[in-house]
Amino acid sequence: MTVDSKIFVGLKSTRKKNAVSTGQAAGPKCHWDGCEKIGTHRAPVGPNAEGLYLLFCLEHVREYNKGYSFTTAPSNADVARLQKEAAIGSRKTIGSRINQSTEMPLPSTERSGSAKVLNARKTAAQREAQKAELRKRKLKVLEAKAFETLGLSHDATPEEIRSRYKNRLKMHHPDVNQGNRNSEDELRASIEAYKILKLNGFC
């Protein structure tokens, strides 16, 4: 049986040409401004966005890593801008943000016969009770002064104490105040106040 080839004249394949056959590379674009290459290399956003990554081509991942500061010093201007945009969500990234709990969660309240679970639950409950008792009792002179130095009320939470301490460190650091002696005194006072509160279980 023969087939008339004229029937098939003008018919075109409905399959879409894939990116490889058309010469276009597949994959996400490099996050570096103005770069049209494919982002094949992951780079961490930074301490304010744990678990998030930017994607760069080989050339720009080297540029990013070169300007990235692994210490407390700020990163190079371009890198710092990319990190800020990724952290606040205005630049698309990959991965998921890790929210680390500052307090140890209470163990599950589901029934369990294991001694380990019961003891863990008891210990966690005791810690919470101790913290509540600590907030109720009358403050010692040094404790009250420590709260006053940090500019906090006596019922401040551990998170508020840590946050205020970090802010005061940044505010009174010699690098920020050109070695101002008064600011150094404030810095020392804040450190001593935080030590007192931490030693006495307030944070």
Side-chain angles (χ1 to χ4, degrees):
M1 179 179 173
T2 60
V3 178
D4 188 353
S5 62
K6 292 179 182 178
I7 295 172
F8 300 100
V9 174
L11 292 179
K12 294 181 180 178
S13 171
T14 57
R15 290 183 183 176
K16 292 181 180 178
K17 292 180 180 179
N18 60 31
V20 176
S21 63
T22 55
Q24 297 176 351
K29 203 169 89 172
C30 175
H31 283 135
W32 198 269
D33 293 336
C35 181
E36 297 297 324
K37 294 178 183 176
I38 300 304
T40 52
H41 300 274
R42 279 194 335 173
V45 170
N48 295 323
E50 287 84 357
L52 295 181
Y53 294 89
L54 291 163
L55 292 172
F56 297 109
C57 62
L58 181 60
E59 176 190 349
H60 288 127
V61 78
R62 286 174 177 163
E63 194 70 27
Y64 181 86
N65 288 338
K66 197 190 301 179
Y68 185 94
S69 174
F70 292 90
T71 65
T72 53
S75 299
N76 135 323
D78 287 335
V79 171
R81 181 173 51 78
L82 285 166
Q83 290 173 325
K84 184 179 178 184
E85 289 173 2
I88 63 176
S90 59
R91 184 176 291 272
K92 197 171 181 181
T93 56
I94 60 170
S96 56
R97 193 181 300 278
I98 299 171
N99 293 319
Q100 293 183 339
S101 174
T102 54
E103 292 290 328
M104 182 179 174
L106 286 170
S108 170
T109 54
E110 292 180 10
R111 292 176 64 83
S112 172
S114 73
K116 186 176 180 182
V117 171
L118 292 172
N119 287 337
R121 189 178 302 145
K122 184 179 177 183
T123 304
Q126 284 174 342
R127 273 201 305 274
E128 292 301 318
Q130 284 171 354
K131 284 181 183 178
E133 191 62 35
L134 196 61
R135 293 189 190 103
K136 286 180 188 175
R137 74 165 171 77
K138 188 176 178 182
L139 294 176
K140 297 174 184 174
V141 176
L142 286 177
E143 292 168 351
K145 190 175 178 182
F147 276 109
E148 188 182 331
T149 300
L150 293 175
L152 291 168
S153 62
H154 298 170
D155 59 349
T157 64
E159 290 77 19
E160 288 172 338
I161 295 170
R162 284 190 285 267
S163 177
R164 179 61 59 85
Y165 174 61
K166 286 177 184 176
N167 288 338
R168 288 182 72 86
L169 284 185
K170 290 176 187 174
M171 189 190 308
H172 297 297
H173 196 279
D175 292 346
V176 178
N177 296 283
Q178 290 83 39
N180 187 319
R181 301 300 298 180
N182 291 332
S183 200
E184 284 182 12
D185 292 341
E186 290 284 344
L187 180 65
R188 287 194 198 94
S190 298
I191 292 170
E192 287 301 317
Y194 182 73
K195 277 182 184 176
I196 289 168
L197 295 180
K198 190 167 185 179
L199 284 170
N200 288 281
F202 287 95
C203 56

